[in-house]
Amino acid sequence: MIKELTLGWTKRTEAAKLGAMICPAQIKRTSKAEDLVTEILRATTAKAVTVELVKSLEEETRWNKLIRKHHYLKEHRMVGESLRYVIKKNGEWIGLLGWSSAAFHLRPRDAWIGWTDAQRQAARHLVACNARFALLTPKGHSPTWLPTV
């Protein structure tokens, strides 16, 4: 069953757990509700969203520039060791992710994990901090691809 929302977008109730939104203009109209759901699912999965590690100096320079432009901190540098990822949709950069070293001492984290001081020192290198996340969308626009990541 398909429900119409006020802005003309259609939400799939079968796959609503994903929160995915599809514009009716993106799919061909059919007479049966089952066919419409099939077409919506096909339109959603046809657009590949990938997350790839930034490997080259050229990509890293571009990532840094875009983070300074789109992230609220306006800073590309991260503390300690770091990994930079780019989110691509059909080969186009649509988002940025940055991971950095975890904090040395974070009492709530350590208590939640159940670490002793010795365990924390031995395993802290296995924990990462999501230091940057930026969507490369025009200001005021919400991405419809986000639930697919």
Side-chain angles (χ1 to χ4, degrees), residues 99-113:
W99 298 91
S100 65
S101 300
F104 285 116
H105 301 282
L106 197 58
R107 187 172 292 144
R109 175 201 63 200
D110 299 342
W112 183 78
I113 294 173

Side-chain angles (χ1 to χ4, degrees), residues 19-30:
M21 303 298 274
I22 301 293
C23 177
Q26 294 176 325
I27 59 173
K28 75 176 185 183
R29 293 289 182 176
T30 59

Side-chain angles (χ1 to χ4, degrees), residues 138-149:
K139 238 182 185 171
H141 288 79
S142 297
T144 57
W145 56 266
L146 192 57
T148 63
V149 174

Side-chain angles (χ1 to χ4, degrees), residues 91-128:
E92 181 183 346
W93 287 31
I94 58 172
L96 307 168
L97 288 166
W99 298 91
S100 65
S101 300
F104 285 116
H105 301 282
L106 197 58
R107 187 172 292 144
R109 175 201 63 200
D110 299 342
W112 183 78
I113 294 173
W115 278 345
T116 63
D117 286 343
Q119 289 171 323
R120 184 189 69 246
Q121 290 173 358
R124 187 178 52 237
H125 70 282
L126 301 173
V127 179

